[in-house]
Amino acid sequence: MAGVPEHSRSPAAGGGLPRPQPCPGSPGAALVCDTMGLLLLALLFPLAHVSALPFSNGFYYSNSPHDQDPGNSYGEGLFNRVKLVVETPEETLFSYQGANVTLPCRYHYQPAPVSPRPMRIKWWKLSENGALDQDVLVAIGLRHRSFGDYRGRVHLWQDEDNEVSLEIQDLRLEDSGRYRCEVIDGLEDESSLVELELRGVVFPYQPRQGRYQLNFYEAQQACEGQAAVVASFEQLFRAWEEGLDWCNAGWLQDASVRYPITLARQPCGGLGLAPGVRSYGPRHRRLYRYDVFCFAAALKGQVYYLQYPEKLTLEEAKEACQEDGAQIAKVGQLFAAWKFRGLDHCDAGWLADGSVRYPVVHPRLKCGSPEPGVRSFGFPDPQSRKYGVYCYRPR
């Protein structure tokens, strides 16, 4: 081949490897070069027996009995166009507090392998507020381990082949959110999401001290004290779609501050802004103070207005519920009873936080606003004897 240096020509036909060529320069340099050439031959020799591998984003292994990996007791090598697929439902799953729910997850291969492979299954819950994701369950074969608040409440449901669904028992308010199902076979992993939402109601809350008194951590405590949790943006947005209109800004689960407006008006952002969920964006969790939007799930127990011969102070109201085999209701419980049990009563009653409220499903004369909702008298003097009481009896 004219014009091409000898040391850059291709190897001869037949697939042989190139012979090391003489090195220019001193004899010492030639010795070093010859040594490097032999080392290069040692490294390249195994590649002479490897065919080119196709490129793909998928996961591959071999089903060929003639290409067994000595370290693989299942007789399956790698890289031969078999893909791992994990499937979960696209639609959101709905349940309620205290119930049991199964988050479906299945996996399969395309095409199916000739023999089963050892699997490691991992479920975790995605964070909604910038915190670390929360491990829920890990399973390898028959060994399962659950974590944190899920310990003892979660199980891997494997009723059918290739099923790795997660069963959660005794659902809690904080269980609502997005879960990831991950399948790992030692070489590759795939995952898919399941969204779980508890049926509930969003309500704005401010403490006895008045408007804009809560930092983020105090807002969390305030909701927990009312049998609720801080609402997520998705929950607030759904409540806005259902008609929630509130002009005071409140904390959400991701430490952002927002408020829902269905009717644009001057004191609530102005007439020039379209209805929607207005946002102040993320705020420093300790330095800023707002109200909070809480989320209360559907109840398993009963909220009722206690029929009593006389009006009560706050302490007398608590004692009256206890005498009736119940406890004074919390704000979240009253909202849930109004939303899901149709509780409709025009008499104002004490609640556990010292506020006075009453639920109206069917608006009528002498019963407040023409819109359904939970009416509030704020936080009267706890020694006042002008009100009855709403009690809650667990089931």
Side-chain angles (χ1 to χ4, degrees):
M1 183 180 298
V4 178
E6 180 67 24
H7 63 272
S8 64
R9 291 181 183 175
S10 301
L17 291 170
R19 287 192 290 268
Q21 301 299 319
C23 297
S26 66
L31 178 60
V32 172
C33 188
D34 287 345
T35 302
M36 293 178 64
L38 290 173
L39 179 59
L40 179 62
L41 275 176
L43 293 173
L44 291 176
F45 182 76
L47 298 180
H49 302 279
V50 178
S51 59
L53 301 178
F55 171 81
S56 173
N57 292 328
F59 159 52
Y60 299 98
Y61 62 86
S62 172
N63 282 325
S64 171
H66 305 292
D67 295 325
Q68 295 188 11
D69 180 354
N72 187 340
S73 62
Y74 292 88
E76 295 170 346
L78 298 178
F79 311 113
N80 198 28
R81 296 188 177 278
V82 176
K83 184 176 182 180
L84 173 62
V85 178
V86 177
E87 297 177 324
T88 56
E90 294 183 1
E91 64 274 8
T92 300
L93 303 181
F94 290 90
S95 190
Y96 57 91
Q97 187 176 6
N100 299 339
V101 67
T102 299
L103 309 185
C105 182
R106 296 178 61 86
Y107 70 91
H108 67 273
Y109 290 97
Q110 297 174 344
V114 295
S115 59
R117 301 186 61 84
M119 287 294 169
R120 177 172 179 264
I121 310 301
K122 180 178 179 180
W123 279 91
W124 75 88
K125 183 173 183 286
L126 276 64
S127 169
E128 299 290 344
N129 58 7
L132 296 175
D133 293 339
Q134 184 176 4
D135 289 340
V136 176
L137 178 142
V138 173
I140 303 176
L142 298 178
R143 294 179 298 167
H144 298 176
R145 181 182 178 186
S146 53
F147 301 89
D149 292 338
Y150 293 95
R151 188 174 288 115
R153 295 195 299 126
V154 294
H155 306 278
L156 199 63
W157 189 262
Q158 296 176 290
D159 195 41
E160 301 178 5
D161 290 342
N162 298 345
E163 182 180 11
V164 288
S165 302
L166 180 72
E167 181 185 25
I168 308 177
Q169 299 177 344
D170 189 22
L171 278 175
R172 302 174 182 175
L173 283 173
E174 55 270 24
D175 293 339
S176 181
R178 294 182 299 160
Y179 291 78
R180 185 175 294 278
C181 171
E182 183 179 27
V183 179
I184 310 163
D185 79 345
L187 298 169
E188 188 58 84
D189 66 274
E190 292 291 340
S191 64
S192 189
L193 290 175
V194 184
E195 185 163 359
L196 172 65
E197 185 171 324
L198 272 64
R199 296 192 181 277
V201 56
V202 173
F203 61 94
Y205 186 80
Q206 57 182 227
R208 176 183 292 274
Q209 292 84 352
R211 182 174 181 259
Y212 293 176
Q213 296 295 315
L214 304 170
N215 67 28
F216 178 74
Y217 301 104
E218 292 166 343
Q220 288 181 313
Q221 294 173 0
C223 288
E224 290 171 3
Q226 302 312 313
V229 294
V230 179
S232 68
F233 170 75
E234 290 78 10
Q235 290 164 345
L236 181 63
F237 187 83
R238 190 183 300 275
W240 170 75
E241 289 182 316
E242 295 174 355
L244 181 61
D245 183 285
W246 196 255
C247 205
N248 290 345
W251 291 103
L252 292 181
Q253 194 178 94
D254 61 358
S256 66
V257 175
R258 307 173 191 254
Y259 61 100
I261 296 297
T262 58
L263 178 63
R265 51 200 184 273
Q266 193 61 46
C268 300
L271 297 173
L273 292 177
V277 177
R278 311 279 170 77
S279 176
Y280 288 179
R283 285 290 187 264
H284 193 283
R285 301 183 183 209
R286 292 195 183 276
L287 297 182
Y288 287 88
R289 294 182 177 274
Y290 297 95
D291 294 344
V292 61
F293 289 99
C294 302
F295 175 83
L299 292 173
K300 294 183 68 175
Q302 177 191 12
V303 174
Y304 60 97
Y305 183 81
L306 180 64
Q307 299 297 332
Y308 206 78
E310 57 187 12
K311 301 300 183 182
L312 305 164
T313 66
L314 176 58
E315 287 303 316
E316 291 170 345
K318 293 177 180 179
E319 293 173 1
C321 287
Q322 291 175 355
E323 291 172 359
D324 201 47
Q327 59 197 39
I328 189 169
K330 298 179 178 181
V331 177
Q333 293 166 343
L334 184 66
F335 268 93
W338 163 76
K339 176 77 172 181
F340 297 104
R341 301 291 177 82
L343 184 62
D344 184 293
H345 210 286
C346 210
D347 291 312
W350 290 105
L351 295 178
D353 66 339
S355 65
V356 171
R357 308 174 192 248
Y358 65 98
V360 175
V361 175
H362 305 290
R364 50 202 180 271
L365 292 175
K366 298 182 180 180
C367 205
S369 167
E371 298 294 331
V374 175
R375 320 279 194 242
S376 175
F377 280 70
F379 293 84
D381 179 354
Q383 299 303 316
S384 171
R385 281 194 172 88
K386 296 181 179 179
Y387 310 105
V389 62
Y390 286 93
C391 302
Y392 171 70
R393 181 180 291 119
R395 288 183 181 174

